[in-house]
Amino acid sequence: MKALITGGAGYIGSHTLIALSDAGYDFVVYDNLCNSSKESLARVSKIINRDIDFVEGDIRDKKRLQELFTTYKIDAVIHFAGLKAVGESVEQPIRYYDNNVNGTLVLLDIMQEFKCKKIVFSSSATVYGDPVSTPIEESFRVGGTTNPYGTSKYMIERILEDLVISDSSFQAVILRYFNPVGAHESGTIGEDPNGIPNNLMPFISQVAVGKREYLSVFGGDYDTKDGTGVRDYIHVVDLADAHVKALNYINSKQFNTKNLTFNIGMGVGYSVLDMVKAFERVSKREVPYKIVQRRAGDIAKCFANSLLAKEVLGWSALKTIEDMCIDSWRWQSNNPNGYSDK
Ligand code: NAD
Ligand code: UD1
């Protein structure tokens, strides 16, 4: 069984290649490298001890995808390719809708042409907007998104749901990731954000390694245990495993269109200060911080009920926040400048 991994050179994709290889799945990576480099694939190749089939290209490039599907017999697609920076999506909505929504439409069109009818899609907890309560269940209302990035994920979910209704032989699994963090235990691959990180964990790691002076904690007056925002952090290696479980499910007799969408989180909420303290414990470094104003668009609490993934996919998170911090720290301290430290 050969899977096409769009966006496979990126953060989550690269970790998923290892999980797929361990599970015996064959794959080809397709990526335009707009937010990644071939170095991540070279490092994955070392970890899995074999060459990786890689084709450089854009998911909006119909001709290139046709060539790809002609060269390789693709049985299923894991679709990571997409732009993901929330702030940038507000400034450049057309670029985001074109890349994420239009790109997915082109990909789905080619899949139909080549009769490839299995897809696992990277969605996000962002589709829930500000939830009425926590833990968040898959049945909660979606679509109250507050930025073009989030709306692009919501639109793609709807497109996939409509496709499954229109063609009963088409199988889709939508994984709604909560907050992916951490890195492979080898410390050779990890998250390599461009410029100043927007997300908490890369920022904490860069403060600990001395690249940044202090962490700005966005808001200390939320209705949470210590006033700082609460999130469901999920180790990227656990997240990678969820994709293997999703492919197994799609390939099994258990697949049922009633269960297409799954929350992928730990099911536990940790505050910003919990993460800072855990990071300090494992790295034995101080992480200086200052509490500043809330960040526009942030919510107080977001964590998952992931029981459906456990029941149907047989997946649950195994790694702890200590593992997340140790592995982020190993990656950051071995590669202070990410993949440019070759
Ligand atoms: P990433 O930026 O590291 O990886 C995405 C990859 O897709 C990159 O290698 C990039 O070069 C590639 N890409 C982007 N547009 C492309 C295009 N038009 N054609 C071909 N390749 C293209 O991001 P990631 O963190 O690995 O995220 C993977 C997916 O998961 C994304 O769809 C993202 O929106 C989604 N997601 C990520 C998070 C997170 O916090 N990291 C949370 C929820 C959902
Ligand atoms: C962000 C995105 C969300 C995306 C998710 C995936 C925004 C508004 N939302 O969510 O769409 O799906 O990443 O990972 O960008 N924090 C600080 N200081 C920092 C950075 C973050 O205090 O320098 C706090 C935030 O206020 C929040 C928590 O840390 O309480 C986590 O923030 P972040 O890592 O950016 O993730 P989300 O905001 O949950």
Side-chain angles (χ1 to χ4, degrees):
M1 148 119 207
K2 195 161 192 102
L4 168 64
I5 317 298
T6 74
Y11 171 48
I12 303 168
S14 56
H15 287 82
T16 301
L17 301 181
I18 299 169
L20 288 169
S21 173
D22 288 349
Y25 281 105
D26 194 11
F27 53 79
V28 50
V29 172
Y30 186 75
D31 198 305
N32 67 0
L33 304 178
C34 70
N35 196 37
S36 54
S37 73
K38 278 190 206 160
E39 181 60 16
S40 63
L41 296 177
R43 295 190 187 187
V44 170
S45 178
K46 266 197 187 146
I47 296 169
I48 63 177
N49 203 16
R50 65 178 174 94
D51 290 340
I52 292 174
D53 285 345
F54 171 62
V55 176
E56 187 171 339
D58 194 297
I59 48 167
R60 292 163 297 178
D61 187 340
K62 200 169 176 172
K63 210 167 148 264
R64 193 130 180 88
L65 278 177
Q66 274 166 332
E67 283 163 14
L68 178 81
F69 275 79
T70 307
T71 309
Y72 297 94
K73 160 95 188 67
I74 309 284
D75 304 294
V77 176
I78 304 185
H79 180 30
F80 293 107
L83 298 174
K84 62 166 184 177
V86 172
E88 191 180 66
S89 79
V90 175
E91 287 155 20
Q92 304 172 21
I94 303 301
R95 179 170 164 240
Y96 268 69
Y97 288 123
D98 179 43
N99 194 83
N100 294 2
V101 181
N102 183 31
T104 303
L105 285 172
V106 173
L107 174 69
L108 290 171
D109 196 27
I110 300 295
M111 287 176 66
Q112 282 198 316
E113 186 182 326
F114 285 83
K115 303 204 169 15
C116 172
K117 297 193 172 194
K118 297 172 200 268
I119 189 167
V120 179
F121 172 61
S122 304
S123 189
S124 165
T126 193
V127 299
Y128 293 113
D130 194 355
V132 283
S133 60
T134 45
I136 300 171
E137 293 178 15
E138 287 84 353
S139 57
F140 279 23
R141 196 184 67 85
V142 291
T145 47
T146 53
N147 55 73
Y149 164 72
T151 308
S152 75
K153 291 290 171 193
Y154 172 65
M155 286 175 167
I156 297 166
E157 286 201 3
R158 290 297 305 268
I159 290 167
L160 289 172
E161 285 158 13
D162 288 342
L163 188 51
V164 167
I165 290 169
S166 74
D167 177 355
S168 61
S169 63
F170 194 91
Q171 297 170 294
V173 169
I174 295 166
L175 301 180
R176 291 182 181 149
Y177 313 157
F178 278 65
N179 288 59
V181 295
H184 187 257
E185 62 181 11
S186 64
T188 59
I189 61 166
E191 189 170 12
D192 185 15
N194 285 327
I196 303 172
N198 293 311
N199 296 116
L200 180 66
M201 197 61 145
F203 207 105
I204 292 182
S205 319
Q206 294 196 1
V207 172
V209 86
K211 256 181 103 170
R212 310 203 179 269
E213 206 183 330
Y214 64 89
L215 168 76
S216 295
V217 176
F218 299 140
D221 57 352
Y222 284 109
D223 182 17
T224 59
K225 63 173 187 172
D226 59 19
T228 67
V230 165
R231 296 290 183 277
D232 187 334
Y233 297 93
I234 169 85
H235 196 297
V236 66
V237 169
D238 279 334
L239 177 58
D241 180 49
H243 295 80
V244 171
K245 298 284 174 10
L247 267 194
N248 294 345
Y249 170 59
I250 274 190
N251 287 322
S252 75
K253 291 206 172 71
Q254 274 70 45
F255 181 83
N256 185 329
T257 50
K258 283 196 189 103
N259 290 320
L260 292 186
T261 307
F262 300 92
N263 284 341
I264 303 295
M266 245 182 126
V268 184
Y270 290 106
S271 73
V272 175
L273 296 184
D274 285 335
M275 298 309 281
V276 169
K277 283 179 210 143
F279 206 94
E280 289 185 328
R281 270 199 310 277
V282 307
S283 68
K284 303 196 171 46
R285 298 275 182 112
E286 202 193 337
V287 178
Y289 67 85
K290 289 184 191 168
I291 304 221
V292 301
Q293 283 205 328
R294 293 180 178 193
R295 178 171 69 179
D298 269 359
I299 55 178
K301 269 190 257 178
C302 176
F303 59 95
N305 175 329
S306 285
L307 286 178
L308 191 65
K310 187 171 185 181
E311 279 167 26
V312 178
L313 304 181
W315 174 88
S316 53
L318 301 175
K319 295 197 180 263
T320 64
I321 58 163
E322 277 75 22
D323 297 326
M324 299 175 202
C325 294
I326 290 168
D327 293 332
S328 295
W329 176 237
R330 193 181 294 114
W331 156 248
Q332 182 67 56
S333 46
N334 289 349
N335 309 268
N337 300 308
Y339 288 115
S340 42
D341 291 327
K342 283 176 211 160

